[in-house]
Amino acid sequence: MFDVKKEAAALSAELETIYKDLHRHPEIGYDEHRTSGIIADYLRACGMEVQTGIAITGVVGTLDSGRPGKTLLIRADMDCLQVEEMTACDYRSENPGKMHACGHDAHVTMLLGAAKLLSAHRDAFRGKIKFLFEPSEESIPASMKETVRAAGYDGEGGAGFMIQQGVLEGVDMALALHVQPVVPAGKIQIARHEATASSDVYDIMLTGKGGHGAMPENAVDPVPAMAELITAIHMLPTREVSSMENCVISIGQVELPGSVWNVVPERAHIVGGFRTFNNDVRALLRQRIPELAEGIAKANRCTAVCTQTLGYDATINDEAMALEVSRTLENIVGEGNVILTNKPFMGSEDFGCFTQHVPGVLFWLGIGTGEDDKPLHNPYFKMDLQALPVGTACHVQNALHFLK
C-alpha cells in the first residue's frame, strides 16, 4: 500500500493548474468540448483505454489492474452554470455569463488526480476502475435541448444519457463526491441512505374567458381556480403522503399572462416542483397534480393543461457501502472528521440515476471555512484549493478499499 495522502499532496501544484484552467473556461451542458478534450488527453497519458463522445461530450477512462475483480465506477460532472461570475480571483471565468459555481471543475480535477495515482499503482488493487466524466449534470440548457433530442435522449441530466449508451455494463458499484461549503473544510459528510431527493416539475395553464373587470359575470375568471389549486397542491404532502416520508412541494412561478389590473384575465399560469425519496410517492404526486388541476378547473368553468417534466432520481446511498466509505475515509481526514448522518438533503443530484441501477454512495467534501462562505450556485462561490488533493486522496482511498 502506498502513502495516499502524501502522493496526493505531491500533486497539489498540478491539480491547481488544471483547476484554474477549467475554471477560466467553463462550458454549459453538452457543450463541454474543450473540457472533455483535456480529460481524454490526460487519461490517455495515464495509459488508459478512453471512450469519448458518450452522450455527446461524456468521457470514460477504464483502468484495468490486469487481475480479476470487481468494477468500480467513479463519477465527476463537467458542466458549468449560466451565471456571471462576481469573484475577484485571478482565474475567474473568461466566458461571459458562464461560471463553475457548483464545483464541477474541482470534481474533474480531483478525479483526474486520482486517475494518475491509481494508474501508477495498478498493483495496489484488483479489477477495473471506470473514471466517468458526466456532461450536463445541471440539466439540459435550452440552447442544447434540440441537439440532445436529435441524438435520441428524452431525459434531463447526462447520467441517464450515458447509461442509455451502456456505461454501466459490467459495473458493480459507483461512487461520487461533491464539494459542499456548508460542511467545514477537513470534514466529510455522508448520508446513510437518503442522500439527495428526486426533482420533478409541473406546469399548469388554466384557461377561462377574459373580460372587463367591471363586468365579471360576462367572463370566466381563472384566478379563483388558480388560488384553489395552489391550496390543494400544498395540501398534498400533509393529507395524501405519509408523515413518515420526506416530501416537498413548491410553487415557484405564478403569473397572469398579458393581464392588467382592471380586466378578468383569460389565463392563469402555475409552475412548481416536488421532491421526495420514495418512487411510490413520486408516482402519486405525478398522478394527483393533474387530477387536481382538471377537477378544480372544471368546477370553475375553466380548462386546464398540465405538463410534467420528469427530473432527477433520488440518490439513495447503499447503507453498507456508506458505512465502509465513512470508515476508510477516516484514513484521509482523520478519526472523528467523517460525519455519518441520517438527515437527508432535499436538493437534487443526477448521480441518483446511477444509484437506481447499482449500489453507490455520494458524499460531501467539506470546503467551508466559516468566513463568509458562499453557497453552491452563487456568483461569489469560490473553492478552497487546498481541498483538491484531499478529494483526490478520497477517490484513491475508496478505490483501494473496495477493490482490495
Side-chain angles (χ1 to χ4, degrees), residues 143-225:
S143 61
M144 297 302 297
K145 188 155 289 190
E146 185 176 340
T147 300
V148 174
R149 299 298 181 241
Y153 182 56
D154 61 2
E156 285 296 305
F161 199 174
M162 296 190 83
I163 292 170
Q164 180 177 298
Q165 297 196 350
V167 297
L168 282 183
E169 292 177 10
V171 170
D172 296 290
M173 55 194 139
L175 293 168
L177 69 73
H178 201 301
V179 297
Q180 181 54 266
V182 301
V183 177
K187 293 185 181 292
I188 288 168
Q189 183 169 300
I190 307 172
R192 290 181 184 271
H193 188 53
E194 296 178 338
T196 64
S198 62
S199 62
D200 298 307
V201 178
Y202 57 89
D203 184 310
I204 303 169
M205 182 67 78
L206 298 166
T207 302
K209 179 182 176 183
H212 197 291
M215 295 168 283
E217 69 277 10
N218 296 327
V220 177
D221 193 348
V223 174

Side-chain angles (χ1 to χ4, degrees), residues 7 33 35 37-38 46 54 65 72 76 102 113 202 209 211 228 245 255 271 277-278 282 285 298 306 314 323 332:
E7 293 204 24
H33 297 287
T35 302
I38 291 170
C46 292
I54 306 171
S65 70
L72 169 67
C102 198
Y202 57 89
K209 179 182 176 183
E228 189 176 338
E245 298 288 347
E255 61 177 345
V271 183
F277 294 91
N278 185 320
R282 193 180 185 188
L285 297 176
K298 186 175 181 179
C306 179
L323 183 58
I332 303 301

Side-chain angles (χ1 to χ4, degrees), residues 1 21 27 35 301 349:
M1 183 73 71
D21 179 58
E27 295 173 303
T35 302
R301 299 182 298 141
E349 228 287 352

Side-chain angles (χ1 to χ4, degrees), residues 52-372:
T52 60
I54 306 171
I56 302 178
T57 49
V59 181
V60 175
T62 301
L63 179 62
D64 191 340
S65 70
R67 295 183 292 168
K70 294 183 177 182
T71 297
L72 169 67
L73 181 148
I74 312 177
R75 185 220 68 170
D77 34 19
M78 303 187 294
D79 58 321
C80 73
L81 289 159
Q82 296 184 76
V83 170
E84 186 71 34
E85 181 162 7
M86 303 299 290
T87 70
C89 66
D90 58 3
Y91 51 88
R92 70 195 306 271
S93 171
E94 296 176 8
N95 295 343
K98 299 175 184 177
M99 177 194 177
H100 273 296
C102 198
H104 295 187
D105 46 355
H107 301 165
V108 169
T109 301
M110 294 168 184
L111 192 53
L112 289 178
K116 184 169 188 173
L117 293 183
L118 287 163
S119 65
H121 294 281
R122 298 175 194 230
D123 59 341
F125 66 94
R126 304 179 67 88
K128 299 178 182 179
I129 305 172
K130 283 189 175 183
F131 298 89
L132 182 145
F133 296 84
E134 176 191 341
S136 199
E137 191 279 331
E138 300 287 358
S139 79
I140 308 173
S143 61
M144 297 302 297
K145 188 155 289 190
E146 185 176 340
T147 300
V148 174
R149 299 298 181 241
Y153 182 56
D154 61 2
E156 285 296 305
F161 199 174
M162 296 190 83
I163 292 170
Q164 180 177 298
Q165 297 196 350
V167 297
L168 282 183
E169 292 177 10
V171 170
D172 296 290
M173 55 194 139
L175 293 168
L177 69 73
H178 201 301
V179 297
Q180 181 54 266
V182 301
V183 177
K187 293 185 181 292
I188 288 168
Q189 183 169 300
I190 307 172
R192 290 181 184 271
H193 188 53
E194 296 178 338
T196 64
S198 62
S199 62
D200 298 307
V201 178
Y202 57 89
D203 184 310
I204 303 169
M205 182 67 78
L206 298 166
T207 302
K209 179 182 176 183
H212 197 291
M215 295 168 283
E217 69 277 10
N218 296 327
V220 177
D221 193 348
V223 174
M226 178 177 68
E228 189 176 338
L229 181 57
I230 289 172
T231 299
I233 288 173
H234 279 151
M235 290 292 287
L236 286 173
T238 65
R239 289 298 174 267
E240 297 193 33
V241 176
S242 168
S243 60
M244 303 302 291
E245 298 288 347
N246 290 298
C247 175
V248 170
I249 291 185
S250 60
I251 296 174
Q253 183 179 349
V254 176
E255 61 177 345
L256 304 175
S259 184
V260 293
W261 75 270
N262 62 342
V263 305
V264 174
E266 182 175 347
R267 296 178 297 163
H269 187 210
I270 300 171
V271 183
F274 53 92
R275 301 170 184 268
T276 181
F277 294 91
N278 185 320
N279 282 335
D280 291 336
V281 173
R282 193 180 185 188
L284 171 69
L285 297 176
R286 284 181 60 81
Q287 173 189 331
R288 290 293 291 132
I289 289 173
E291 286 179 350
L292 288 173
E294 291 169 14
I296 290 171
K298 186 175 181 179
N300 285 273
R301 299 182 298 141
C302 296
T303 59
V305 175
C306 179
T307 57
Q308 299 189 73
T309 302
L310 189 65
Y312 291 169
D313 295 314
T315 301
I316 305 298
N317 283 349
D318 181 89
E319 293 191 57
M321 280 186 69
L323 183 58
E324 289 192 60
V325 170
S326 71
R327 289 172 175 168
T328 196
L329 289 188
E330 285 192 340
N331 292 300
I332 303 301
V333 296
E335 186 176 352
N337 287 322
V338 179
I339 306 162
L340 195 59
T341 179
N342 292 317
K343 184 179 179 180
F345 175 63
M346 294 306 296
S348 300
E349 228 287 352
D350 200 25
F351 186 69
C353 198
F354 294 106
T355 66
Q356 296 289 320
H357 294 84
V358 297
V361 171
L362 170 73
F363 62 94
W364 301 100
L365 177 66
I367 59 170
T369 64
E371 298 178 5
D372 196 30

